[in-house]
Amino acid sequence: MPLHFLQPPPASTQALDAALPRIANRASVATHASRISAAVDLHLRRRPGAPPPAAPEPIAAPVHVLGLDQIVAHHDIRKTPVRLWTHMLHDEDDDAPVALADIDAHSQTFSAVTEGAHIAALGKRIRAVETESRASPKNFDLAMIRVPALSLSALWLKGRDGEPDVVIPEESPMSPLTAGKRYTLDEFNAALRPAADRMLRETDPDKGG
């Protein structure tokens, strides 16, 4: 199942390129977020006219954000709009992404940059799926699903040519899903619905993405 990485809108890439130099100039980033600092430095060295770095090309993915109410209502995930474009940044010592930089898909403005063990695990999972996909004729586009209220992120492999979609969740202490397991979209929603319903009844009913 060859895994295809979609190209972000040019405005998203431009917003990223405008934001990263400001991040690189912050002393706090170099001191307390070394992976972000290294990834930003590498990205800036990819600009036209600079010698090409040896690290893999950056990849990006559209992000669909779900609220608890959408899960409980069994909202069709395929119809949720893209909320963000996440740009996966590398450093020169790792084949997998080590930081994520999010750009708002509506305003095309910088939203956040994140590093940490969970980002490293996500990056390694993407590369593992990419490697595995080379042995299959099935085709998928990479996207992501986030459920902020459950601190959950998942890879969404969108099937081409009628192939069923696959969802692979990451680790989350608030989610009943098994990290790394493959779910259909219906299985993903059904497994989350009891937890989402409980949280909506116990907390603010508007809580969600």
Side-chain angles (χ1 to χ4, degrees):
M1 52 177 187
L3 183 63
H4 302 273
F5 300 116
L6 302 177
Q7 289 297 314
S12 181
T13 303
Q14 291 164 8
L16 178 72
D17 289 343
L20 290 186
R22 298 196 299 270
I23 295 171
N25 290 332
R26 295 177 184 172
S28 60
V29 171
T31 303
H32 303 293
S34 59
R35 304 306 294 272
I36 289 177
S37 181
V40 169
D41 177 70
L42 179 64
H43 183 86
L44 294 177
R45 287 191 281 121
R46 294 184 186 277
R47 289 185 166 186
E57 285 294 316
I59 55 180
V63 180
H64 301 257
V65 181
L66 296 180
L68 298 178
D69 54 341
Q70 293 173 298
I71 295 171
V72 170
H74 197 57
H75 181 81
D76 188 350
I77 299 174
R78 299 177 191 86
K79 295 181 179 178
T80 58
V82 175
R83 184 80 64 85
L84 302 163
W85 274 89
T86 191
H87 297 256
M88 306 177 195
L89 308 178
H90 298 75
D91 67 20
E92 292 182 294
D93 299 323
D94 204 326
D95 177 59
V98 298
L100 297 183
D102 291 340
I103 303 296
D104 186 290
H106 176 69
S107 64
Q108 301 297 346
T109 55
F110 175 78
S111 177
V113 63
T114 314
E115 66 165 17
H118 63 298
I119 301 300
L122 173 68
K124 287 180 171 59
R125 195 178 305 283
I126 290 171
R127 289 305 186 195
V129 170
E130 180 186 21
T131 298
E132 177 187 328
S133 74
R134 298 188 182 115
S136 171
K138 300 176 182 178
N139 288 276
F140 293 91
D141 292 328
L142 176 66
M144 293 190 66
I145 297 171
R146 291 182 189 169
V147 185
L150 296 176
S151 300
L152 175 65
S153 292
L155 302 185
W156 181 4
L157 310 184
K158 294 184 174 183
R160 292 186 177 184
D161 304 318
E163 194 65 36
D165 293 0
V166 177
V167 181
I168 308 175
E170 292 299 298
E171 194 73 51
S172 167
M174 300 176 67
S175 165
L177 301 175
T178 301
K181 181 178 177 179
R182 294 174 180 240
Y183 296 83
T184 66
L185 282 176
D186 285 342
E187 290 170 342
F188 175 80
N189 192 286
L192 291 180
R193 196 177 304 131
D197 183 63
R198 183 176 61 253
M199 288 189 71
L200 282 177
R201 285 187 283 106
E202 294 175 351
T203 64
D204 184 337
D206 293 327
K207 186 173 183 180

